[in-house]
Amino acid sequence: MNIISLITGRAGPSGFGSASTAEQVTQGIDATNLTAIITGGASGIGLETARVLALRKAHVIIAARNVDAANQAKLLILKEDETASVKVLKLDLSSLKSVRAFVDSFNALHLPLHILINNAGVMFCPYELSEDGVESQFAINHLGHFHLTNLLLDKMKSTADASGIEGRIVNLSSIAHQYTYKGGIRFDSINDQNGYSEKRAYGQSKLANILHAKELSRRFQEEGVNITANAVHPGLIMTNLFKHAFTTMKILQILSFLVWKNVPQGAATTCYVALHPSLKGVSGNYFLDCNEMKPSKLAQDQVLATKLWDFTNKLIKSLTKP
């Protein structure tokens, strides 16, 4: 998609473009009997994703740190459609302990799991460490979601086997994955405050989201598992994600107002990749404006993807050992 397509909203090969909304890209799709977990579904594009999936009759689990806000989001969805199936469970992605507790709570519901949307995130944060002692943007945007996904994989695999329905994992990344540290990931200094850049740390975490989906896809194909994994860039949307750089981003929005999206448009690519039947079997790709796009060279590096997978597993093991 070029800048003209971004400005005009002209549709790409999929039939959709930057102006398409989440409702439009899922029109006519029946998600009855599908269960979806959406992290960060209490506000912004996460809430819109939850609303539209519920509108299409999926059973939606909103996983959120702020349970009160998530319950308010649930009420908004039910106000629009009182037959919607929505449940709220607490999840703090900055805590591996909370991730484990969330998975235990979800498993206790004895539900299948067809769709996992790793949507929540933070952006341009000042340097700080998570509860587990990991740089916060890497911890929340990548590490927490990686651990969550791994803990839910058995459930997704058993669901796909029992139902015959393809499972789908969607990682929300960003075009910002192109602006990261030299080499992509600071494996040897992930927590080093020296040389820390709020923007490069964010780009690093978004690159990790794409590499995570790429390695998941490779493993699924190798195992013959009926699950796909893809990454998406939702576009430029002014949400709470910009709270650490609101003034700067507001100026940028004014200067580049033609390419910014509203929330229904911002949730479109996520909903498209999560539900659209045309993407059956499509895995390991990166999507922008509901169309497949090539990410950066680093994001296409399979060796880097495997290295990140091994590094992340080793890090989680070291942080969760008794």
mmCIF file of all heavy atoms in Angstrom, residues 128-163:
data_model
loop_
_atom_site.group_PDB
_atom_site.id
_atom_site.type_symbol
_atom_site.label_atom_id
_atom_site.label_comp_id
_atom_site.label_asym_id
_atom_site.label_seq_id
_atom_site.Cartn_x
_atom_site.Cartn_y
_atom_site.Cartn_z
ATOM 1 N N GLU A 128 12.016 2.041 32.838
ATOM 2 C CA GLU A 128 11.615 1.433 34.097
ATOM 3 C C GLU A 128 11.594 -0.072 33.923
ATOM 4 O O GLU A 128 11.571 -0.583 32.800
ATOM 5 C CB GLU A 128 10.245 1.929 34.561
ATOM 6 C CG GLU A 128 9.099 1.641 33.608
ATOM 7 C CD GLU A 128 7.769 2.186 34.107
ATOM 8 O OE1 GLU A 128 7.736 2.675 35.255
ATOM 9 O OE2 GLU A 128 6.778 2.137 33.366
ATOM 10 N N LEU A 129 11.620 -0.784 35.041
ATOM 11 C CA LEU A 129 11.618 -2.236 35.020
ATOM 12 C C LEU A 129 10.251 -2.772 35.437
ATOM 13 O O LEU A 129 9.555 -2.164 36.251
ATOM 14 C CB LEU A 129 12.698 -2.787 35.955
ATOM 15 C CG LEU A 129 14.140 -2.414 35.627
ATOM 16 C CD1 LEU A 129 15.082 -3.000 36.671
ATOM 17 C CD2 LEU A 129 14.541 -2.872 34.229
ATOM 18 N N SER A 130 9.890 -3.903 34.877
ATOM 19 C CA SER A 130 8.636 -4.554 35.236
ATOM 20 C C SER A 130 8.753 -5.212 36.606
ATOM 21 O O SER A 130 9.821 -5.214 37.232
ATOM 22 C CB SER A 130 8.297 -5.622 34.198
ATOM 23 O OG SER A 130 9.195 -6.727 34.315
ATOM 24 N N GLU A 131 7.672 -5.786 37.069
ATOM 25 C CA GLU A 131 7.667 -6.522 38.336
ATOM 26 C C GLU A 131 8.732 -7.603 38.356
ATOM 27 O O GLU A 131 9.313 -7.908 39.399
ATOM 28 C CB GLU A 131 6.287 -7.146 38.554
ATOM 29 C CG GLU A 131 6.162 -8.028 39.772
ATOM 30 C CD GLU A 131 4.792 -8.682 39.873
ATOM 31 O OE1 GLU A 131 3.785 -7.956 39.911
ATOM 32 O OE2 GLU A 131 4.733 -9.923 39.903
ATOM 33 N N ASP A 132 9.010 -8.161 37.189
ATOM 34 C CA ASP A 132 9.993 -9.244 37.080
ATOM 35 C C ASP A 132 11.400 -8.736 36.800
ATOM 36 O O ASP A 132 12.323 -9.531 36.596
ATOM 37 C CB ASP A 132 9.566 -10.216 35.976
ATOM 38 C CG ASP A 132 8.211 -10.836 36.255
ATOM 39 O OD1 ASP A 132 8.086 -11.526 37.276
ATOM 40 O OD2 ASP A 132 7.277 -10.613 35.457
ATOM 41 N N GLY A 133 11.566 -7.401 36.764
ATOM 42 C CA GLY A 133 12.892 -6.841 36.548
ATOM 43 C C GLY A 133 13.333 -6.791 35.105
ATOM 44 O O GLY A 133 14.523 -6.884 34.804
ATOM 45 N N VAL A 134 12.373 -6.621 34.182
ATOM 46 C CA VAL A 134 12.674 -6.544 32.752
ATOM 47 C C VAL A 134 12.222 -5.183 32.225
ATOM 48 O O VAL A 134 11.177 -4.674 32.629
ATOM 49 C CB VAL A 134 11.960 -7.672 31.973
ATOM 50 C CG1 VAL A 134 12.262 -7.568 30.480
ATOM 51 C CG2 VAL A 134 12.377 -9.037 32.515
ATOM 52 N N GLU A 135 13.002 -4.594 31.326
ATOM 53 C CA GLU A 135 12.632 -3.301 30.737
ATOM 54 C C GLU A 135 11.176 -3.338 30.298
ATOM 55 O O GLU A 135 10.746 -4.253 29.614
ATOM 56 C CB GLU A 135 13.564 -2.993 29.555
ATOM 57 C CG GLU A 135 13.386 -1.606 28.962
ATOM 58 C CD GLU A 135 12.263 -1.555 27.936
ATOM 59 O OE1 GLU A 135 12.260 -2.414 27.034
ATOM 60 O OE2 GLU A 135 11.398 -0.662 28.071
ATOM 61 N N SER A 136 10.409 -2.322 30.694
ATOM 62 C CA SER A 136 8.948 -2.407 30.660
ATOM 63 C C SER A 136 8.337 -2.580 29.271
ATOM 64 O O SER A 136 7.382 -3.348 29.116
ATOM 65 C CB SER A 136 8.335 -1.177 31.331
ATOM 66 O OG SER A 136 8.691 0.007 30.631
ATOM 67 N N GLN A 137 8.862 -1.906 28.257
ATOM 68 C CA GLN A 137 8.246 -2.049 26.937
ATOM 69 C C GLN A 137 8.476 -3.450 26.368
ATOM 70 O O GLN A 137 7.568 -4.050 25.782
ATOM 71 C CB GLN A 137 8.779 -0.981 25.979
ATOM 72 C CG GLN A 137 8.354 0.429 26.375
ATOM 73 C CD GLN A 137 8.611 1.439 25.282
ATOM 74 O OE1 GLN A 137 7.813 1.588 24.366
ATOM 75 N NE2 GLN A 137 9.735 2.146 25.380
ATOM 76 N N PHE A 138 9.670 -3.990 26.578
ATOM 77 C CA PHE A 138 9.951 -5.359 26.140
ATOM 78 C C PHE A 138 9.120 -6.343 26.964
ATOM 79 O O PHE A 138 8.575 -7.313 26.428
ATOM 80 C CB PHE A 138 11.440 -5.658 26.302
ATOM 81 C CG PHE A 138 11.877 -6.959 25.691
ATOM 82 C CD1 PHE A 138 12.129 -7.061 24.334
ATOM 83 C CD2 PHE A 138 12.047 -8.094 26.472
ATOM 84 C CE1 PHE A 138 12.535 -8.261 23.760
ATOM 85 C CE2 PHE A 138 12.457 -9.297 25.917
ATOM 86 C CZ PHE A 138 12.699 -9.384 24.556
ATOM 87 N N ALA A 139 9.000 -6.065 28.270
ATOM 88 C CA ALA A 139 8.269 -6.963 29.170
ATOM 89 C C ALA A 139 6.791 -7.039 28.822
ATOM 90 O O ALA A 139 6.211 -8.128 28.737
ATOM 91 C CB ALA A 139 8.446 -6.507 30.615
ATOM 92 N N ILE A 140 6.150 -5.898 28.631
ATOM 93 C CA ILE A 140 4.706 -5.858 28.403
ATOM 94 C C ILE A 140 4.348 -6.210 26.965
ATOM 95 O O ILE A 140 3.459 -7.036 26.708
ATOM 96 C CB ILE A 140 4.148 -4.477 28.776
ATOM 97 C CG1 ILE A 140 4.307 -4.237 30.276
ATOM 98 C CG2 ILE A 140 2.674 -4.356 28.373
ATOM 99 C CD1 ILE A 140 4.020 -2.813 30.720
ATOM 100 N N ASN A 141 5.041 -5.591 26.023
ATOM 101 C CA ASN A 141 4.680 -5.785 24.615
ATOM 102 C C ASN A 141 5.081 -7.147 24.067
ATOM 103 O O ASN A 141 4.387 -7.702 23.211
ATOM 104 C CB ASN A 141 5.313 -4.690 23.754
ATOM 105 C CG ASN A 141 4.776 -3.310 24.074
ATOM 106 O OD1 ASN A 141 3.774 -3.163 24.763
ATOM 107 N ND2 ASN A 141 5.459 -2.280 23.590
ATOM 108 N N HIS A 142 6.202 -7.682 24.548
ATOM 109 C CA HIS A 142 6.661 -8.979 24.033
ATOM 110 C C HIS A 142 6.635 -10.101 25.061
ATOM 111 O O HIS A 142 5.941 -11.108 24.875
ATOM 112 C CB HIS A 142 8.076 -8.857 23.476
ATOM 113 C CG HIS A 142 8.697 -10.184 23.144
ATOM 114 N ND1 HIS A 142 8.185 -11.020 22.164
ATOM 115 C CD2 HIS A 142 9.774 -10.835 23.688
ATOM 116 C CE1 HIS A 142 8.918 -12.129 22.114
ATOM 117 N NE2 HIS A 142 9.881 -12.044 23.022
ATOM 118 N N LEU A 143 7.373 -9.935 26.158
ATOM 119 C CA LEU A 143 7.566 -11.036 27.105
ATOM 120 C C LEU A 143 6.243 -11.559 27.667
ATOM 121 O O LEU A 143 6.003 -12.773 27.696
ATOM 122 C CB LEU A 143 8.476 -10.576 28.244
ATOM 123 C CG LEU A 143 8.990 -11.667 29.192
ATOM 124 C CD1 LEU A 143 9.946 -12.601 28.455
ATOM 125 C CD2 LEU A 143 9.697 -11.031 30.389
ATOM 126 N N GLY A 144 5.373 -10.659 28.129
ATOM 127 C CA GLY A 144 4.091 -11.069 28.696
ATOM 128 C C GLY A 144 3.230 -11.798 27.682
ATOM 129 O O GLY A 144 2.623 -12.833 27.985
ATOM 130 N N HIS A 145 3.188 -11.272 26.462
ATOM 131 C CA HIS A 145 2.389 -11.918 25.418
ATOM 132 C C HIS A 145 2.993 -13.248 24.983
ATOM 133 O O HIS A 145 2.266 -14.205 24.679
ATOM 134 C CB HIS A 145 2.257 -10.981 24.212
ATOM 135 C CG HIS A 145 1.193 -9.951 24.361
ATOM 136 N ND1 HIS A 145 1.420 -8.606 24.206
ATOM 137 C CD2 HIS A 145 -0.123 -10.075 24.676
ATOM 138 C CE1 HIS A 145 0.291 -7.942 24.395
ATOM 139 N NE2 HIS A 145 -0.659 -8.808 24.694
ATOM 140 N N PHE A 146 4.310 -13.315 24.944
ATOM 141 C CA PHE A 146 4.984 -14.572 24.590
ATOM 142 C C PHE A 146 4.632 -15.652 25.607
ATOM 143 O O PHE A 146 4.277 -16.790 25.238
ATOM 144 C CB PHE A 146 6.495 -14.329 24.568
ATOM 145 C CG PHE A 146 7.310 -15.509 24.095
ATOM 146 C CD1 PHE A 146 7.775 -15.561 22.791
ATOM 147 C CD2 PHE A 146 7.640 -16.541 24.959
ATOM 148 C CE1 PHE A 146 8.552 -16.641 22.357
ATOM 149 C CE2 PHE A 146 8.401 -17.615 24.543
ATOM 150 C CZ PHE A 146 8.860 -17.673 23.233
ATOM 151 N N HIS A 147 4.716 -15.301 26.892
ATOM 152 C CA HIS A 147 4.400 -16.261 27.954
ATOM 153 C C HIS A 147 2.929 -16.662 27.900
ATOM 154 O O HIS A 147 2.593 -17.852 28.018
ATOM 155 C CB HIS A 147 4.733 -15.636 29.306
ATOM 156 C CG HIS A 147 4.722 -16.591 30.460
ATOM 157 N ND1 HIS A 147 5.268 -17.859 30.396
ATOM 158 C CD2 HIS A 147 4.231 -16.460 31.742
ATOM 159 C CE1 HIS A 147 5.121 -18.472 31.567
ATOM 160 N NE2 HIS A 147 4.491 -17.646 32.383
ATOM 161 N N LEU A 148 2.060 -15.686 27.706
ATOM 162 C CA LEU A 148 0.626 -15.962 27.594
ATOM 163 C C LEU A 148 0.349 -16.927 26.451
ATOM 164 O O LEU A 148 -0.380 -17.922 26.614
ATOM 165 C CB LEU A 148 -0.127 -14.645 27.360
ATOM 166 C CG LEU A 148 -1.632 -14.760 27.089
ATOM 167 C CD1 LEU A 148 -2.372 -15.230 28.332
ATOM 168 C CD2 LEU A 148 -2.187 -13.429 26.599
ATOM 169 N N THR A 149 0.924 -16.645 25.292
ATOM 170 C CA THR A 149 0.705 -17.489 24.123
ATOM 171 C C THR A 149 1.197 -18.910 24.373
ATOM 172 O O THR A 149 0.490 -19.892 24.074
ATOM 173 C CB THR A 149 1.421 -16.895 22.896
ATOM 174 O OG1 THR A 149 0.940 -15.564 22.671
ATOM 175 C CG2 THR A 149 1.172 -17.735 21.655
ATOM 176 N N ASN A 150 2.395 -19.046 24.924
ATOM 177 C CA ASN A 150 2.929 -20.379 25.196
ATOM 178 C C ASN A 150 2.041 -21.181 26.143
ATOM 179 O O ASN A 150 1.819 -22.383 25.952
ATOM 180 C CB ASN A 150 4.340 -20.272 25.789
ATOM 181 C CG ASN A 150 5.415 -20.305 24.718
ATOM 182 O OD1 ASN A 150 5.118 -20.289 23.529
ATOM 183 N ND2 ASN A 150 6.663 -20.330 25.137
ATOM 184 N N LEU A 151 1.529 -20.508 27.178
ATOM 185 C CA LEU A 151 0.684 -21.194 28.156
ATOM 186 C C LEU A 151 -0.676 -21.588 27.576
ATOM 187 O O LEU A 151 -1.331 -22.494 28.110
ATOM 188 C CB LEU A 151 0.484 -20.312 29.386
ATOM 189 C CG LEU A 151 1.732 -20.053 30.248
ATOM 190 C CD1 LEU A 151 1.394 -19.113 31.402
ATOM 191 C CD2 LEU A 151 2.299 -21.370 30.789
ATOM 192 N N LEU A 152 -1.088 -20.925 26.512
ATOM 193 C CA LEU A 152 -2.396 -21.216 25.903
ATOM 194 C C LEU A 152 -2.301 -22.128 24.679
ATOM 195 O O LEU A 152 -3.321 -22.546 24.130
ATOM 196 C CB LEU A 152 -3.085 -19.908 25.492
ATOM 197 C CG LEU A 152 -3.578 -19.019 26.638
ATOM 198 C CD1 LEU A 152 -4.014 -17.658 26.092
ATOM 199 C CD2 LEU A 152 -4.731 -19.680 27.397
ATOM 200 N N LEU A 153 -1.079 -22.464 24.273
ATOM 201 C CA LEU A 153 -0.924 -23.231 23.035
ATOM 202 C C LEU A 153 -1.564 -24.616 23.097
ATOM 203 O O LEU A 153 -2.184 -25.064 22.119
ATOM 204 C CB LEU A 153 0.561 -23.370 22.685
ATOM 205 C CG LEU A 153 1.200 -22.167 21.989
ATOM 206 C CD1 LEU A 153 2.657 -22.457 21.654
ATOM 207 C CD2 LEU A 153 0.432 -21.783 20.729
ATOM 208 N N ASP A 154 -1.417 -25.305 24.212
ATOM 209 C CA ASP A 154 -2.032 -26.635 24.315
ATOM 210 C C ASP A 154 -3.544 -26.548 24.160
ATOM 211 O O ASP A 154 -4.167 -27.392 23.501
ATOM 212 C CB ASP A 154 -1.679 -27.289 25.649
ATOM 213 C CG ASP A 154 -0.254 -27.822 25.691
ATOM 214 O OD1 ASP A 154 0.361 -27.938 24.612
ATOM 215 O OD2 ASP A 154 0.248 -28.106 26.794
ATOM 216 N N LYS A 155 -4.145 -25.522 24.770
ATOM 217 C CA LYS A 155 -5.593 -25.330 24.648
ATOM 218 C C LYS A 155 -5.971 -25.050 23.193
ATOM 219 O O LYS A 155 -6.955 -25.595 22.675
ATOM 220 C CB LYS A 155 -6.039 -24.171 25.544
ATOM 221 C CG LYS A 155 -7.499 -23.755 25.373
ATOM 222 C CD LYS A 155 -8.482 -24.825 25.816
ATOM 223 C CE LYS A 155 -8.506 -24.924 27.324
ATOM 224 N NZ LYS A 155 -9.569 -25.849 27.789
ATOM 225 N N MET A 156 -5.199 -24.209 22.518
ATOM 226 C CA MET A 156 -5.502 -23.892 21.124
ATOM 227 C C MET A 156 -5.331 -25.107 20.223
ATOM 228 O O MET A 156 -6.131 -25.347 19.311
ATOM 229 C CB MET A 156 -4.623 -22.740 20.636
ATOM 230 C CG MET A 156 -4.945 -21.405 21.284
ATOM 231 S SD MET A 156 -4.302 -19.979 20.355
ATOM 232 C CE MET A 156 -5.449 -19.936 18.960
ATOM 233 N N LYS A 157 -4.294 -25.893 20.480
ATOM 234 C CA LYS A 157 -4.066 -27.086 19.669
ATOM 235 C C LYS A 157 -5.179 -28.114 19.861
ATOM 236 O O LYS A 157 -5.673 -28.698 18.883
ATOM 237 C CB LYS A 157 -2.710 -27.708 20.033
ATOM 238 C CG LYS A 157 -1.515 -26.894 19.580
ATOM 239 C CD LYS A 157 -0.204 -27.514 20.062
ATOM 240 C CE LYS A 157 1.002 -26.679 19.650
ATOM 241 N NZ LYS A 157 2.276 -27.268 20.132
ATOM 242 N N SER A 158 -5.586 -28.337 21.106
ATOM 243 C CA SER A 158 -6.654 -29.306 21.370
ATOM 244 C C SER A 158 -7.975 -28.826 20.787
ATOM 245 O O SER A 158 -8.779 -29.627 20.290
ATOM 246 C CB SER A 158 -6.797 -29.573 22.874
ATOM 247 O OG SER A 158 -7.181 -28.402 23.570
ATOM 248 N N THR A 159 -8.211 -27.524 20.827
ATOM 249 C CA THR A 159 -9.431 -26.959 20.248
ATOM 250 C C THR A 159 -9.447 -27.162 18.737
ATOM 251 O O THR A 159 -10.467 -27.568 18.159
ATOM 252 C CB THR A 159 -9.543 -25.453 20.560
ATOM 253 O OG1 THR A 159 -9.655 -25.277 21.975
ATOM 254 C CG2 THR A 159 -10.763 -24.842 19.884
ATOM 255 N N ALA A 160 -8.321 -26.872 18.093
ATOM 256 C CA ALA A 160 -8.235 -27.038 16.641
ATOM 257 C C ALA A 160 -8.428 -28.502 16.248
ATOM 258 O O ALA A 160 -9.111 -28.809 15.268
ATOM 259 C CB ALA A 160 -6.885 -26.523 16.136
ATOM 260 N N ASP A 161 -7.836 -29.414 17.019
ATOM 261 C CA ASP A 161 -7.980 -30.843 16.733
ATOM 262 C C ASP A 161 -9.426 -31.309 16.908
ATOM 263 O O ASP A 161 -9.964 -32.028 16.060
ATOM 264 C CB ASP A 161 -7.078 -31.663 17.669
ATOM 265 C CG ASP A 161 -5.614 -31.585 17.278
ATOM 266 O OD1 ASP A 161 -5.322 -31.180 16.135
ATOM 267 O OD2 ASP A 161 -4.756 -31.917 18.118
ATOM 268 N N ALA A 162 -10.052 -30.887 18.010
ATOM 269 C CA ALA A 162 -11.403 -31.356 18.318
ATOM 270 C C ALA A 162 -12.461 -30.745 17.403
ATOM 271 O O ALA A 162 -13.439 -31.412 17.043
ATOM 272 C CB ALA A 162 -11.735 -31.045 19.776
ATOM 273 N N SER A 163 -12.270 -29.491 17.041
ATOM 274 C CA SER A 163 -13.299 -28.781 16.274
ATOM 275 C C SER A 163 -13.071 -28.816 14.773
ATOM 276 O O SER A 163 -14.016 -28.643 13.983
ATOM 277 C CB SER A 163 -13.361 -27.316 16.712
ATOM 278 O OG SER A 163 -12.158 -26.640 16.361
#
